[in-house]
């Protein structure tokens, strides 16, 4: 399973240019395909769902081309139904494409098959099929009744009249009927049965149909009249707005992580209902500003988001972002009227409840609502994404709680926002990590501890962890060659660090881990890959706000490869031997310079040659040779780099 680890973040600020709206992109493509004339579609969304639509249009005989390197497309309209009368279309998990194409195909007088991924074959489409059958369309279920795959056959289509369609499961059925009915040429009325959900999406449909020359008259949200004798005409150029649902992640990041975060591509004039997510955020206390084409969010004055109880029926997609924002609120939060979550890319109600619990929230999952009780502190967790782009994107925000989070199968964001994590990385500021590596006796332990104190950062002495494993193994009388048993000890290690002291299972071992025979055993256990793997996550847990100084041989390469500052501390073997000599003499122990130098040289050679975590300086680490340098000078050097924000290697 592929995954992406997001480090704990300190906050978020900056600007993001949004990708094009999925809802607008797929609607405009279909309207342009059915219209008379050529349409230039500017800033089309580049994503899987849009690719499925483009492929389908090609298969149906619609000519389109990409205009240069930009996300601009020219679509040559058919001026009515699709010219190709027989086709098999695979539409992945693109709900917008399946629903709207099914309706247009049913009125195109051909023999078509429509299918998708397994999940698409569980997503309901019966309300739309029932509507289409009322005007004579012949649509058959070839798999499970009520769901794709479908076979559509030529039929005698009644021109106009009244069609009834349910509006309480998905608004996409109504959108599909609205966009396709002008193909019949007759005057038609659509009556919505049940309370129409997600109304703003219908508003997008009507707005775009009007741009292509078909004005629908609506009576409330119950009845829609399509005039007779109308047909779509290209408006020439259509600009696709930025995606307002995608905007929600960044706006929430600004509200949670301080901000300001500004999104460009949607604003006050947007036709997308999800811009009203900004209102919901404001209701939570976030400070929101809006321009014609941008929205900006900052944290509340108080610093904390307020608990909320909101009906979110009008913004079902962006509401998922609020469910994660609830983790940062000052009390239990209720998201109401979100039953449509159950028929989306996955059962989002169940999935969100499960994943929110993983990070520590207490969650009540109702039939059409969710109550999220935020935890006192967030827990690092691996988030499953259920092939649902929005789950992947909204859970990235957990990292703003100063908590690392793993996103499984992160590529599912390709559905609507292939570059999401890059954009998120640009606005979120990772908790800074200073990784200090180097050979034994280079003074890295002393330097790391002093740097951490000076910066007020946490400190990880990774060698101490291996030493504690050695002590625990000795106490449990585990054989030094029993890798599996040692890895178990490492995984469960009941260790606690406080200031410069160390406890194992409640017993202080600060001095015990420094004994010579433990050094030898520590170096043996550290050579076991299973032990190293068992300690990996535990080491990463040390990374918390405001920052971490991590010391040890694989800090910059394996444990924190993205560390902001990497320092490789070294000194000649003679200089290191002199320091060790002084330490031993100060402790009243016997010491011999010559053998110390020889020992160190041999150990360096062994360390560099070993296969497991060899001692190496990574390319992006700055080399600090302390042969002729005191501790103070070395500490000052590291601090200077951190204060100057310099992370480039020299
Ligand atoms: O730095 P130290 O002497 O306390 O480390 C104890 C042992 O653990 C030593 O043999 C090196 C090894 N070690 C390691 O392999 N990887 C680390 N990140 C830290 C220490």
């Amino acid at each position: 399973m592929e995954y992406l680890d997001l480090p704990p973040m300190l906050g978020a600020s900056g600007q993001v240019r949004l990708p094009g709206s999925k809802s607008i992109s797929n609607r405009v493509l279909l309207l342009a395909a059915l219209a008379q004339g050529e349409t230039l579609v500017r800033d089309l969304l580049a994503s899987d769902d849009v690719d499925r639509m483009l492929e389908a249009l090609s298969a149906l005989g619609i000519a389109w081309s990409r205009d240069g390197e930009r996300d601009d497309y020219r679509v040559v309209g058919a001026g009515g139904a699709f010219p190709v009368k027989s086709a098999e279309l695979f539409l992945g998990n693109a709900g917008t494409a399946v629903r709207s194409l099914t309706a247009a195909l049913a009125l195109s007088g051909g023999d078509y098959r429509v299918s998708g991924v397994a999940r698409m074959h569980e997503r309901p489409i019966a309300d739309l099929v029932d509507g289409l059958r009322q005007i004579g369309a012949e649509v058959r279920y070839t798999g499970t009744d009520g769901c794709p795959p479908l076979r559509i056959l030529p039929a005698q289509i009644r021109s106009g009249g009244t069609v009834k369609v349910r509006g309480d499961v998905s608004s996409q059925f109504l959108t599909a009927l609205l966009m396709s009915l002008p193909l019949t040429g007759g005057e038609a009325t659509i009556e919505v049965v049940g309370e129409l959900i997600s109304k703003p999406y219908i508003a997008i449909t009507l707005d775009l149909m009007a741009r292509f020359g078909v004005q629908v008259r609506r009576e409330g949200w119950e009845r829609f009249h399509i005039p007779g004798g109308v047909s779509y005409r290209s408006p020439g150029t259509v600009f696709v707005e930025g995606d307002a649902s995608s905007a929600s992640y960044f706006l929430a990041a600004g509200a949670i992580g301080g901000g300001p975060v500004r999104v460009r591509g949607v604003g006050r004039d947007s036709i997308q209902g999800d811009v009203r997510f900004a209102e919901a955020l404001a209701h939570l206390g976030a400070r929101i500003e809006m321009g014609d084409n941008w929205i900006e969010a900052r944290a509340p004055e108080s610093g904390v988001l307020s608990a909320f109880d909101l009906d979110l029926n009008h913004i079902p997609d962006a509401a998922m972002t609020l469910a994660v924002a609830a983790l940062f609120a000052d009390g239990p939060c209720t998201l109401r009227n979100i039953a449509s979550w159950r028929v989306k890319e996955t059962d989002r109600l169940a999935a969100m409840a499960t994943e929110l619990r993983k990070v520590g929230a207490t969650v009540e999952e109702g039939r059409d609502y969710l109550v999220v009780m935020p935890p006192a502190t967030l827990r690092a967790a691996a988030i499953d994404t259920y092939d649902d782009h929005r789950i992947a994107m909204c859970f990235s925000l957990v990292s703003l709680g100063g908590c690392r989070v793993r996103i499984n199968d992160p590529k599912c964001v390709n559905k609507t926002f292939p570059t999401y994590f890059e954009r998120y990385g640009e606005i979120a500021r990772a908790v800074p990590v200073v990784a200090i590596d180097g050979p034994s006796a280079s003074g890295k332990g002393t330097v790391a501890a002093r740097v951490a104190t000076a910066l007020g950062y946490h400190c990880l002495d990774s060698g101490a962890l291996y030493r504690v494993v050695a002590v625990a193994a000795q106490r449990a009388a585990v054989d030094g060659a029993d890798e599996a048993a040692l890895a178990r000890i490492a995984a469960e290690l009941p260790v606690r660090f406080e200031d410069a002291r160390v406890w194992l299972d409640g017993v202080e071992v600060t001095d015990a881990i420094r004994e010579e025979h433990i050094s030898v055993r520590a170096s043996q256990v550290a050579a076991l890959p299973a032990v190293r793997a068992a300690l990996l996550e535990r080491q990463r847990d040390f990374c918390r706000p405001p920052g971490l100084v991590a010391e040890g041989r694989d800090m910059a390469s394996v444990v924190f490869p993205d560390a902001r500052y990497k320092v490789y501390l070294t000194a000649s073997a003679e200089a290191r031997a002199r320091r060790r000599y002084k330490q031993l003499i100060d402790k009243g122990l016997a010491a011999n310079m010559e053998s110390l130098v020889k020992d160190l040289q041999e150990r360096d050679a062994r360390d560099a040659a070993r296969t497991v975590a060899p001692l190496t300086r990574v390319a992006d680490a700055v080399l600090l040779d302390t042969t002729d340098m005191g501790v103070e000078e070395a500490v000052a050097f590291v601090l200077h780099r951190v204060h100057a924000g310099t992370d480039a290697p020299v």
Side-chain angles (χ1 to χ4, degrees):
M1 163 75 81
E2 247 188 84
Y3 58 80
L4 174 73
D5 282 333
L6 292 172
M9 301 291 180
L10 279 182
S13 58
Q15 289 211 16
V16 177
R17 204 185 148 72
L18 295 167
S21 153
K22 175 187 72 162
S23 303
I24 297 178
S25 293
N26 270 353
R27 282 171 176 77
V28 165
L29 285 176
L30 180 61
L31 293 172
L34 302 176
Q36 255 167 47
E38 186 177 305
T39 306
L40 173 60
V41 187
R42 302 277 309 263
D43 302 332
L44 190 77
L45 169 64
S47 79
D48 284 353
D49 276 14
V50 174
D51 285 346
R52 294 297 84 74
M53 181 60 114
L54 285 166
E55 288 161 12
L57 294 182
S58 292
L60 294 167
I62 302 297
W64 56 264
S65 59
R66 187 161 173 201
D67 215 32
E69 277 309 287
R70 300 175 46 89
D71 293 321
D72 298 344
Y73 287 73
R74 287 184 187 279
V75 181
V76 184
F82 293 115
V84 168
K85 299 299 177 193
S86 172
E88 278 197 29
L89 306 177
F90 173 80
L91 297 170
N93 202 6
T96 47
V98 169
R99 277 74 182 260
S100 60
L101 280 170
T102 293
L105 291 169
L107 308 186
S108 285
D111 181 349
Y112 306 104
R113 287 176 187 273
V114 172
S115 67
V117 297
R119 171 64 187 167
M120 182 48 74
H121 297 172
E122 297 168 2
R123 295 177 69 182
I125 198 163
D127 294 344
L128 172 62
V129 171
D130 291 348
L132 292 167
R133 285 175 177 167
Q134 289 168 46
I135 52 168
E138 179 145 6
V139 184
R140 294 182 190 164
Y141 302 112
T142 57
T144 311
D145 254 10
C147 299
L150 303 173
R151 173 120 189 241
I152 297 161
L153 291 162
Q156 201 62 44
I157 301 297
R158 178 158 57 78
S159 167
T162 298
V163 182
K164 287 189 170 39
V165 66
R166 269 180 64 182
D168 54 356
V169 173
S170 167
S171 68
Q172 287 180 15
F173 305 141
L174 176 56
T175 281
L177 281 173
L178 281 165
M179 291 203 295
S180 62
L181 278 176
L183 291 178
T184 68
E187 186 182 335
T189 298
I190 305 176
E191 280 180 16
V192 179
V193 181
E195 169 77 11
L196 178 65
I197 61 165
S198 313
K199 297 183 181 79
Y201 286 97
I202 299 302
I204 297 178
T205 305
L206 299 181
D207 180 287
L208 295 174
M209 284 172 70
R211 285 199 222 174
F212 280 85
V214 174
Q215 303 279 350
V216 176
R217 191 167 56 80
R218 72 175 169 89
E219 290 171 35
W221 296 100
E222 290 103 50
R223 206 164 282 107
F224 298 82
H225 302 286
I226 297 153
V230 292
S231 58
Y232 292 121
R233 284 185 316 279
S234 167
T237 301
V238 179
F239 283 85
V240 176
E241 287 182 15
D243 194 295
S245 313
S246 301
S248 70
Y249 313 110
F250 302 107
L251 295 175
I256 297 163
V261 174
R262 179 176 289 203
V263 293
R264 297 195 162 278
V266 290
R268 208 185 283 124
D269 296 340
S270 172
I271 61 166
Q272 297 169 74
D274 270 3
V275 288
R276 292 189 56 199
F277 172 79
E279 278 169 32
L281 267 189
H283 182 85
L284 273 59
R287 288 170 288 173
I288 305 288
E289 279 185 61
M290 261 197 209
D292 292 346
N293 196 34
W294 57 267
I295 310 177
E296 187 175 281
R298 282 184 298 156
E301 208 113 29
S302 68
V304 198
L305 294 172
S306 311
F308 60 88
D309 182 335
L310 289 173
D311 182 325
L312 299 168
N313 192 271
H314 60 299
I315 51 169
D317 284 356
M320 295 170 74
T321 313
L322 280 184
V324 176
L327 295 170
F328 299 88
D330 59 5
C333 301
T334 308
L335 299 94
R336 294 191 192 277
N337 208 356
I338 48 173
S340 69
W341 279 17
R342 295 214 184 267
V343 296
K344 299 291 173 120
E345 279 78 345
T346 183
D347 177 345
R348 286 177 168 170
L349 257 163
M352 290 299 285
T354 304
E355 303 309 311
L356 286 165
R357 286 185 190 120
K358 280 189 192 166
V359 298
T362 306
V363 182
E364 182 190 332
E365 178 196 337
R367 190 188 59 81
D368 66 346
Y369 70 91
L370 211 56
V371 183
V372 183
M373 177 73 189
T377 43
L378 289 166
R379 259 203 316 262
I383 301 300
D384 288 312
T385 50
Y386 311 81
D387 205 13
D388 187 339
H389 54 139
R390 299 212 181 281
I391 295 185
M393 294 190 277
C394 64
F395 272 92
S396 65
L397 300 172
V398 168
S399 62
L400 291 168
C403 173
R404 66 197 167 85
V405 62
R406 171 168 293 180
I407 307 290
N408 285 332
D409 187 22
K411 289 214 182 86
C412 64
V413 301
N414 288 354
K415 190 172 201 292
T416 53
F417 199 162
T419 58
Y420 174 73
F421 290 108
E422 282 93 315
R423 297 288 90 75
Y424 181 67
E426 284 163 14
I427 59 141
R429 289 186 305 281
V431 168
V433 175
V434 184
I436 303 185
D437 290 6
S440 13
S442 59
K444 59 187 190 296
T446 316
V447 171
R450 298 249 192 121
V451 168
T453 305
L455 293 169
Y457 284 7
H458 302 279
C459 190
L460 165 61
D461 170 358
S462 58
L465 270 178
Y466 290 99
R467 289 172 179 273
V468 177
V469 172
V471 170
Q474 192 191 39
R475 293 192 177 169
V478 168
D479 188 87
D482 189 345
E483 185 166 354
L486 289 164
R488 265 197 305 281
I489 287 180
E492 289 154 15
L493 204 63
V495 66
R496 188 161 60 84
F497 292 90
E498 214 176 281
D499 300 324
R501 299 166 71 189
V502 190
W503 281 268
L504 173 62
D505 212 1
V507 181
E508 187 169 356
V509 291
T510 313
D511 293 328
I513 62 167
R514 300 289 157 196
E515 286 170 19
E516 196 49 39
H517 68 286
I518 291 300
S519 298
V520 175
R521 290 200 68 163
S523 124
Q524 288 161 353
V525 299
L528 302 171
V531 173
R532 302 196 77 85
L535 289 179
L536 189 60
E537 300 289 287
R538 186 186 286 269
Q539 295 177 82
R540 289 183 176 153
D541 279 340
F542 278 79
C543 180
R544 290 189 305 269
L548 173 69
V549 181
E551 173 254 306
R553 74 179 39 163
D554 57 350
M555 293 301 107
S557 53
V558 176
V559 184
F560 299 108
D562 297 325
R564 177 96 192 265
Y565 308 98
K566 297 181 178 180
V567 181
Y568 189 83
L569 215 64
T570 188
S572 68
E574 287 73 18
R576 286 182 281 141
R578 267 197 307 279
R579 292 172 195 162
R580 183 62 45 98
Y581 181 84
K582 186 168 178 307
Q583 272 174 357
L584 293 172
I585 297 296
D586 286 351
K587 280 193 192 166
L589 300 169
N592 173 302
M593 262 304 280
E594 235 169 83
S595 72
L596 281 173
V597 173
K598 193 160 153 286
D599 274 1
L600 279 172
Q601 280 167 337
E602 279 172 13
R603 195 174 330 172
D604 285 354
R606 254 199 330 268
D607 274 352
R610 67 188 240 191
T611 46
V612 178
L615 182 65
T616 47
R617 174 193 158 201
V618 292
D620 54 348
V622 52
L623 181 70
L624 180 59
D625 188 336
T626 63
T627 303
D628 301 311
M629 216 183 249
V631 172
E632 293 310 329
E633 221 179 316
V635 170
F637 175 90
V638 179
L639 287 177
H640 175 74
R641 292 187 74 82
V642 175
H643 287 139
T646 314
D647 45 357
V650 284

